[in-house]
Amino acid sequence: MYKKAAGQITVWTALCFLVFLGLYLVCLQSVEKQYQKKQAEQAVEAGMFSLFSEYEPHLLKQYDLFFLDTSFGGGAERTDELSSHLWQFVENNAASDGLSLQGVDIKSMVRMTDGSGAALFRQGVEIMKEKTGVSLAEDWLLQELFVEGSEENTRKFQEDCEDYEGTVRDYEDEEEEEEDEDGEDRSLDPEARQWDGLWNGFTLDKAVPEEYQLSTKSAVLENVPSHRELSVGVGLSAGTENQIIQKQWFISYLCEYMNHAQEMLPKARTEGYLDYQLEYIIAGKSSDQENLGDVIGRLLLIREGMNYVFLLTHPALREKAELLSLVLAGMTGNGGLIKSLEQLILLGWAYGESLVEVRQLLQGYELVAVKTEADWQVSLSGLLPALSDPGRYDTQVQRQDGISYETCLRIFLMLQPAETLSMRAIDVIEGEVRQMDGFLKLHLDHCVDYLTAQIWMEDLYLERSYGYE
């Protein structure tokens, strides 16, 4: 027999069931929204990645730099097309997940030129950290040995040039005005004139070996990024760093990717931008010859100071200058003139040795960091003939090691502010890439390495930033 039982549900149980059912549906809807949001985020990330994969290939190939050209080679910035590319990439990824893209907008961009080239500075530092960061210690050591005391030596050389210049000419003027009462011959040897202001006869041609051809290239500075009005993004206003380690890494980047005169003089090229690019970054002048002349002038002045002080502190060499001054001016009986002529001879001798050294540096030779008497190359008797034909000392008889031409450039680069290094490097990079077919209108202030985008999908709003790291 079957026994019937009454079935019933209480109001409390029904209410509880409805509450749990509603909570379940809310959780289900929340999970669905979170899933859609996650899908949207993935679609946006993939879209941003695809957009930044359109980096400017020539910057990567030639300089290992990742930047997105927002003008797409057209010269004028095209933010609408940039948004259109991002729309297409995001939509392709969103459609597969059933999401509907409703809007895309580029909110802000960080340009290569923002913060005086902060983005370039950062990428250059990172590149060299990966490549040769640990080798910088050797460069610093050589630079310290080269620079140590150079400022004081240069100051001494310049002061003595000013003090003794014109000594011979002044004496000759006085000699013409005064008659010799006792009839003694107090004439000055004509060769003495050649030592007065000998260092003032320097020209760039004397420092460059005859077989090399100087570049005649020049740039219109009004059109380069460091001089023209630029498009401005949201990059840091003080992004480049002046810390020694950061500058050293960036200078290493410049030396790795930029040309300099010692490399280019033997193989002068007809195409391309400026040949002496590191010299431009140092001097900032419009032509290769002006930039090289400025750098050679600085280098020559440093070496003159070092060599002059070296002569003053080495009795054997100084004694030769004293003897020559007696031969040339001893008949005058003027002790002050003889002493002044001795100093003029030492100054001229230091200049001759320095000129020989600069020529050797441009040919790829190195110089010792700390000079000894055995390293001195130009004899006093052969100095004047050498100045008329400096090529006779172009080959080092005793091979020296230590300071190269690039090391000297590194020293001069370290004296420049980081902002100047970055912006002049941008000048060179833009000028070089613009020499390529189809890239005449490239502007590096339209190249970005970081941007923020706003994306709308149905009831979702996303704001994402992306950049090259």
mmCIF file of all heavy atoms in Angstrom, residues 41 44-45 48-49 51-52 86 105-110 234 449-455 462-469:
data_model
loop_
_atom_site.group_PDB
_atom_site.id
_atom_site.type_symbol
_atom_site.label_atom_id
_atom_site.label_comp_id
_atom_site.label_asym_id
_atom_site.label_seq_id
_atom_site.Cartn_x
_atom_site.Cartn_y
_atom_site.Cartn_z
ATOM 1 N N GLU A 41 41.148 43.397 -22.789
ATOM 2 C CA GLU A 41 42.519 43.780 -22.448
ATOM 3 C C GLU A 41 43.527 43.037 -23.312
ATOM 4 O O GLU A 41 44.508 43.621 -23.777
ATOM 5 C CB GLU A 41 42.782 43.503 -20.971
ATOM 6 C CG GLU A 41 42.045 44.431 -20.028
ATOM 7 C CD GLU A 41 42.250 44.057 -18.581
ATOM 8 O OE1 GLU A 41 42.731 42.922 -18.323
ATOM 9 O OE2 GLU A 41 41.949 44.885 -17.702
ATOM 10 N N VAL A 44 43.469 44.532 -26.742
ATOM 11 C CA VAL A 44 44.155 45.835 -26.769
ATOM 12 C C VAL A 44 45.665 45.639 -26.694
ATOM 13 O O VAL A 44 46.426 46.292 -27.432
ATOM 14 C CB VAL A 44 43.659 46.736 -25.624
ATOM 15 C CG1 VAL A 44 44.520 47.986 -25.510
ATOM 16 C CG2 VAL A 44 42.200 47.119 -25.844
ATOM 17 N N GLU A 45 46.124 44.769 -25.793
ATOM 18 C CA GLU A 45 47.559 44.506 -25.690
ATOM 19 C C GLU A 45 48.127 43.991 -27.005
ATOM 20 O O GLU A 45 49.191 44.423 -27.454
ATOM 21 C CB GLU A 45 47.824 43.488 -24.575
ATOM 22 C CG GLU A 45 47.613 44.021 -23.166
ATOM 23 C CD GLU A 45 48.671 45.037 -22.779
ATOM 24 O OE1 GLU A 45 49.811 44.932 -23.281
ATOM 25 O OE2 GLU A 45 48.361 45.943 -21.992
ATOM 26 N N MET A 48 48.192 46.918 -29.475
ATOM 27 C CA MET A 48 49.296 47.842 -29.220
ATOM 28 C C MET A 48 50.627 47.225 -29.647
ATOM 29 O O MET A 48 51.490 47.899 -30.211
ATOM 30 C CB MET A 48 49.329 48.212 -27.745
ATOM 31 C CG MET A 48 48.116 48.965 -27.243
ATOM 32 S SD MET A 48 48.080 50.681 -27.782
ATOM 33 C CE MET A 48 49.098 51.454 -26.543
ATOM 34 N N PHE A 49 50.776 45.938 -29.370
ATOM 35 C CA PHE A 49 51.993 45.241 -29.786
ATOM 36 C C PHE A 49 52.126 45.270 -31.303
ATOM 37 O O PHE A 49 53.226 45.519 -31.837
ATOM 38 C CB PHE A 49 51.974 43.793 -29.284
ATOM 39 C CG PHE A 49 53.174 42.989 -29.694
ATOM 40 C CD1 PHE A 49 54.357 43.057 -28.973
ATOM 41 C CD2 PHE A 49 53.140 42.180 -30.823
ATOM 42 C CE1 PHE A 49 55.478 42.324 -29.353
ATOM 43 C CE2 PHE A 49 54.251 41.455 -31.217
ATOM 44 C CZ PHE A 49 55.425 41.525 -30.482
ATOM 45 N N LEU A 51 50.811 47.469 -33.330
ATOM 46 C CA LEU A 51 51.078 48.841 -33.756
ATOM 47 C C LEU A 51 52.568 49.170 -33.610
ATOM 48 O O LEU A 51 53.182 49.733 -34.515
ATOM 49 C CB LEU A 51 50.241 49.818 -32.929
ATOM 50 C CG LEU A 51 50.454 51.302 -33.241
ATOM 51 C CD1 LEU A 51 49.960 51.626 -34.645
ATOM 52 C CD2 LEU A 51 49.747 52.180 -32.210
ATOM 53 N N PHE A 52 53.150 48.792 -32.473
ATOM 54 C CA PHE A 52 54.561 49.114 -32.238
ATOM 55 C C PHE A 52 55.505 48.217 -33.037
ATOM 56 O O PHE A 52 56.705 48.501 -33.110
ATOM 57 C CB PHE A 52 54.875 49.029 -30.743
ATOM 58 C CG PHE A 52 54.573 50.302 -30.007
ATOM 59 C CD1 PHE A 52 53.277 50.612 -29.638
ATOM 60 C CD2 PHE A 52 55.577 51.201 -29.709
ATOM 61 C CE1 PHE A 52 52.982 51.790 -28.976
ATOM 62 C CE2 PHE A 52 55.303 52.384 -29.046
ATOM 63 C CZ PHE A 52 53.991 52.686 -28.681
ATOM 64 N N LEU A 86 45.686 51.333 -35.160
ATOM 65 C CA LEU A 86 45.406 50.699 -33.878
ATOM 66 C C LEU A 86 44.003 50.106 -33.881
ATOM 67 O O LEU A 86 43.789 49.004 -33.357
ATOM 68 C CB LEU A 86 45.554 51.717 -32.744
ATOM 69 C CG LEU A 86 45.322 51.187 -31.338
ATOM 70 C CD1 LEU A 86 46.268 50.026 -31.027
ATOM 71 C CD2 LEU A 86 45.497 52.302 -30.303
ATOM 72 N N ASP A 105 41.312 56.279 -29.556
ATOM 73 C CA ASP A 105 41.892 57.623 -29.575
ATOM 74 C C ASP A 105 43.289 57.567 -28.971
ATOM 75 O O ASP A 105 43.513 56.910 -27.958
ATOM 76 C CB ASP A 105 41.020 58.604 -28.776
ATOM 77 C CG ASP A 105 41.564 60.027 -28.856
ATOM 78 O OD1 ASP A 105 41.996 60.431 -29.942
ATOM 79 O OD2 ASP A 105 41.557 60.722 -27.820
ATOM 80 N N ILE A 106 44.239 58.263 -29.638
ATOM 81 C CA ILE A 106 45.598 58.376 -29.106
ATOM 82 C C ILE A 106 45.633 59.575 -28.178
ATOM 83 O O ILE A 106 45.421 60.715 -28.602
ATOM 84 C CB ILE A 106 46.632 58.549 -30.230
ATOM 85 C CG1 ILE A 106 46.547 57.385 -31.227
ATOM 86 C CG2 ILE A 106 48.030 58.660 -29.639
ATOM 87 C CD1 ILE A 106 46.839 56.040 -30.634
ATOM 88 N N LYS A 107 45.894 59.318 -26.905
ATOM 89 C CA LYS A 107 45.811 60.379 -25.914
ATOM 90 C C LYS A 107 47.108 61.168 -25.797
ATOM 91 O O LYS A 107 47.115 62.392 -25.759
ATOM 92 C CB LYS A 107 45.445 59.778 -24.554
ATOM 93 C CG LYS A 107 45.271 60.806 -23.451
ATOM 94 C CD LYS A 107 44.888 60.147 -22.133
ATOM 95 C CE LYS A 107 44.732 61.192 -21.028
ATOM 96 N NZ LYS A 107 44.406 60.554 -19.723
ATOM 97 N N SER A 108 48.247 60.508 -25.720
ATOM 98 C CA SER A 108 49.522 61.202 -25.531
ATOM 99 C C SER A 108 50.655 60.351 -26.077
ATOM 100 O O SER A 108 50.555 59.128 -26.156
ATOM 101 C CB SER A 108 49.753 61.511 -24.050
ATOM 102 O OG SER A 108 49.737 60.308 -23.291
ATOM 103 N N MET A 109 51.755 61.036 -26.457
ATOM 104 C CA MET A 109 52.909 60.355 -27.038
ATOM 105 C C MET A 109 54.205 60.922 -26.447
ATOM 106 O O MET A 109 54.278 62.112 -26.136
ATOM 107 C CB MET A 109 52.925 60.524 -28.560
ATOM 108 C CG MET A 109 51.753 59.870 -29.267
ATOM 109 S SD MET A 109 51.814 60.082 -31.082
ATOM 110 C CE MET A 109 51.402 61.824 -31.229
ATOM 111 N N VAL A 110 55.206 60.074 -26.321
ATOM 112 C CA VAL A 110 56.548 60.487 -25.913
ATOM 113 C C VAL A 110 57.430 60.421 -27.155
ATOM 114 O O VAL A 110 57.638 59.352 -27.729
ATOM 115 C CB VAL A 110 57.114 59.584 -24.811
ATOM 116 C CG1 VAL A 110 58.555 59.968 -24.497
ATOM 117 C CG2 VAL A 110 56.257 59.672 -23.565
ATOM 118 N N VAL A 234 54.815 64.365 -24.372
ATOM 119 C CA VAL A 234 54.714 64.389 -22.912
ATOM 120 C C VAL A 234 55.955 63.811 -22.247
ATOM 121 O O VAL A 234 55.920 63.432 -21.085
ATOM 122 C CB VAL A 234 53.460 63.613 -22.446
ATOM 123 C CG1 VAL A 234 52.212 64.274 -22.957
ATOM 124 C CG2 VAL A 234 53.524 62.150 -22.892
ATOM 125 N N ASP A 449 58.422 56.576 -28.861
ATOM 126 C CA ASP A 449 58.762 55.268 -28.288
ATOM 127 C C ASP A 449 57.795 54.876 -27.173
ATOM 128 O O ASP A 449 57.961 53.828 -26.550
ATOM 129 C CB ASP A 449 60.210 55.255 -27.793
ATOM 130 C CG ASP A 449 60.372 55.794 -26.382
ATOM 131 O OD1 ASP A 449 59.593 56.682 -25.982
ATOM 132 O OD2 ASP A 449 61.288 55.329 -25.683
ATOM 133 N N TYR A 450 56.749 55.692 -26.964
ATOM 134 C CA TYR A 450 55.786 55.404 -25.896
ATOM 135 C C TYR A 450 54.525 56.220 -26.175
ATOM 136 O O TYR A 450 54.612 57.382 -26.584
ATOM 137 C CB TYR A 450 56.382 55.818 -24.548
ATOM 138 C CG TYR A 450 55.609 55.373 -23.322
ATOM 139 C CD1 TYR A 450 55.848 54.130 -22.750
ATOM 140 C CD2 TYR A 450 54.655 56.200 -22.744
ATOM 141 C CE1 TYR A 450 55.162 53.724 -21.614
ATOM 142 C CE2 TYR A 450 53.975 55.805 -21.604
ATOM 143 C CZ TYR A 450 54.223 54.571 -21.045
ATOM 144 O OH TYR A 450 53.551 54.167 -19.919
ATOM 145 N N LEU A 451 53.356 55.607 -26.000
ATOM 146 C CA LEU A 451 52.110 56.351 -26.159
ATOM 147 C C LEU A 451 51.017 55.738 -25.291
ATOM 148 O O LEU A 451 51.099 54.587 -24.854
ATOM 149 C CB LEU A 451 51.674 56.427 -27.626
ATOM 150 C CG LEU A 451 51.343 55.145 -28.400
ATOM 151 C CD1 LEU A 451 49.957 54.597 -28.081
ATOM 152 C CD2 LEU A 451 51.433 55.420 -29.906
ATOM 153 N N THR A 452 49.986 56.534 -25.057
ATOM 154 C CA THR A 452 48.807 56.118 -24.304
ATOM 155 C C THR A 452 47.596 56.191 -25.222
ATOM 156 O O THR A 452 47.422 57.192 -25.936
ATOM 157 C CB THR A 452 48.585 57.014 -23.077
ATOM 158 O OG1 THR A 452 49.729 56.931 -22.233
ATOM 159 C CG2 THR A 452 47.356 56.554 -22.296
ATOM 160 N N ALA A 453 46.772 55.119 -25.228
ATOM 161 C CA ALA A 453 45.595 55.057 -26.097
ATOM 162 C C ALA A 453 44.338 54.802 -25.264
ATOM 163 O O ALA A 453 44.382 54.121 -24.233
ATOM 164 C CB ALA A 453 45.763 53.954 -27.142
ATOM 165 N N GLN A 454 43.217 55.370 -25.722
ATOM 166 C CA GLN A 454 41.902 55.138 -25.126
ATOM 167 C C GLN A 454 41.078 54.287 -26.085
ATOM 168 O O GLN A 454 41.011 54.576 -27.280
ATOM 169 C CB GLN A 454 41.197 56.470 -24.871
ATOM 170 C CG GLN A 454 41.923 57.368 -23.878
ATOM 171 C CD GLN A 454 41.316 58.750 -23.813
ATOM 172 O OE1 GLN A 454 41.052 59.382 -24.837
ATOM 173 N NE2 GLN A 454 41.093 59.235 -22.594
ATOM 174 N N ILE A 455 40.423 53.231 -25.555
ATOM 175 C CA ILE A 455 39.652 52.291 -26.381
ATOM 176 C C ILE A 455 38.287 52.063 -25.746
ATOM 177 O O ILE A 455 38.190 51.845 -24.526
ATOM 178 C CB ILE A 455 40.387 50.937 -26.545
ATOM 179 C CG1 ILE A 455 41.730 51.152 -27.267
ATOM 180 C CG2 ILE A 455 39.541 49.948 -27.322
ATOM 181 C CD1 ILE A 455 42.910 51.266 -26.366
ATOM 182 N N LEU A 462 38.820 51.281 -21.817
ATOM 183 C CA LEU A 462 40.175 50.901 -21.430
ATOM 184 C C LEU A 462 41.140 52.016 -21.812
ATOM 185 O O LEU A 462 40.999 52.651 -22.873
ATOM 186 C CB LEU A 462 40.600 49.606 -22.126
ATOM 187 C CG LEU A 462 39.793 48.343 -21.811
ATOM 188 C CD1 LEU A 462 40.200 47.211 -22.722
ATOM 189 C CD2 LEU A 462 39.968 47.950 -20.362
ATOM 190 N N GLU A 463 42.144 52.246 -20.961
ATOM 191 C CA GLU A 463 43.224 53.191 -21.249
ATOM 192 C C GLU A 463 44.528 52.462 -21.008
ATOM 193 O O GLU A 463 44.787 52.003 -19.883
ATOM 194 C CB GLU A 463 43.129 54.432 -20.391
ATOM 195 C CG GLU A 463 44.196 55.483 -20.715
ATOM 196 C CD GLU A 463 43.992 56.791 -19.963
ATOM 197 O OE1 GLU A 463 42.906 57.385 -20.104
ATOM 198 O OE2 GLU A 463 44.899 57.171 -19.197
ATOM 199 N N ARG A 464 45.291 52.337 -22.050
ATOM 200 C CA ARG A 464 46.525 51.550 -21.951
ATOM 201 C C ARG A 464 47.706 52.344 -22.500
ATOM 202 O O ARG A 464 47.597 53.050 -23.493
ATOM 203 C CB ARG A 464 46.380 50.232 -22.714
ATOM 204 C CG ARG A 464 45.434 49.233 -22.070
ATOM 205 C CD ARG A 464 46.009 48.720 -20.758
ATOM 206 N NE ARG A 464 45.127 47.752 -20.122
ATOM 207 C CZ ARG A 464 44.156 48.045 -19.263
ATOM 208 N NH1 ARG A 464 43.929 49.318 -18.958
ATOM 209 N NH2 ARG A 464 43.426 47.097 -18.726
ATOM 210 N N SER A 465 48.858 52.171 -21.836
ATOM 211 C CA SER A 465 50.111 52.766 -22.294
ATOM 212 C C SER A 465 51.054 51.664 -22.740
ATOM 213 O O SER A 465 51.075 50.567 -22.163
ATOM 214 C CB SER A 465 50.763 53.570 -21.165
ATOM 215 O OG SER A 465 49.937 54.656 -20.771
ATOM 216 N N TYR A 466 51.827 51.970 -23.767
ATOM 217 C CA TYR A 466 52.723 50.956 -24.318
ATOM 218 C C TYR A 466 53.965 51.660 -24.863
ATOM 219 O O TYR A 466 53.890 52.793 -25.339
ATOM 220 C CB TYR A 466 52.007 50.191 -25.445
ATOM 221 C CG TYR A 466 52.597 48.831 -25.767
ATOM 222 C CD1 TYR A 466 52.129 47.689 -25.124
ATOM 223 C CD2 TYR A 466 53.623 48.691 -26.686
ATOM 224 C CE1 TYR A 466 52.655 46.444 -25.409
ATOM 225 C CE2 TYR A 466 54.159 47.455 -26.982
ATOM 226 C CZ TYR A 466 53.674 46.340 -26.338
ATOM 227 O OH TYR A 466 54.208 45.103 -26.611
ATOM 228 N N GLY A 467 55.087 50.996 -24.790
ATOM 229 C CA GLY A 467 56.316 51.591 -25.302
ATOM 230 C C GLY A 467 57.395 50.550 -25.488
ATOM 231 O O GLY A 467 57.236 49.374 -25.136
ATOM 232 N N TYR A 468 58.508 50.980 -26.061
ATOM 233 C CA TYR A 468 59.657 50.102 -26.260
ATOM 234 C C TYR A 468 60.502 50.097 -24.984
ATOM 235 O O TYR A 468 60.878 51.152 -24.475
ATOM 236 C CB TYR A 468 60.511 50.594 -27.432
ATOM 237 C CG TYR A 468 59.792 50.596 -28.756
ATOM 238 C CD1 TYR A 468 59.455 51.782 -29.393
ATOM 239 C CD2 TYR A 468 59.429 49.405 -29.365
ATOM 240 C CE1 TYR A 468 58.807 51.799 -30.605
ATOM 241 C CE2 TYR A 468 58.776 49.393 -30.588
ATOM 242 C CZ TYR A 468 58.453 50.605 -31.194
ATOM 243 O OH TYR A 468 57.807 50.605 -32.414
ATOM 244 N N GLU A 469 60.752 48.954 -24.468
ATOM 245 C CA GLU A 469 61.540 48.807 -23.237
ATOM 246 C C GLU A 469 62.866 48.132 -23.556
ATOM 247 O O GLU A 469 62.943 47.285 -24.393
ATOM 248 C CB GLU A 469 60.765 47.980 -22.211
ATOM 249 C CG GLU A 469 59.469 48.647 -21.765
ATOM 250 C CD GLU A 469 59.694 49.937 -20.991
ATOM 251 O OE1 GLU A 469 60.815 50.115 -20.462
ATOM 252 O OE2 GLU A 469 58.787 50.759 -20.941
#
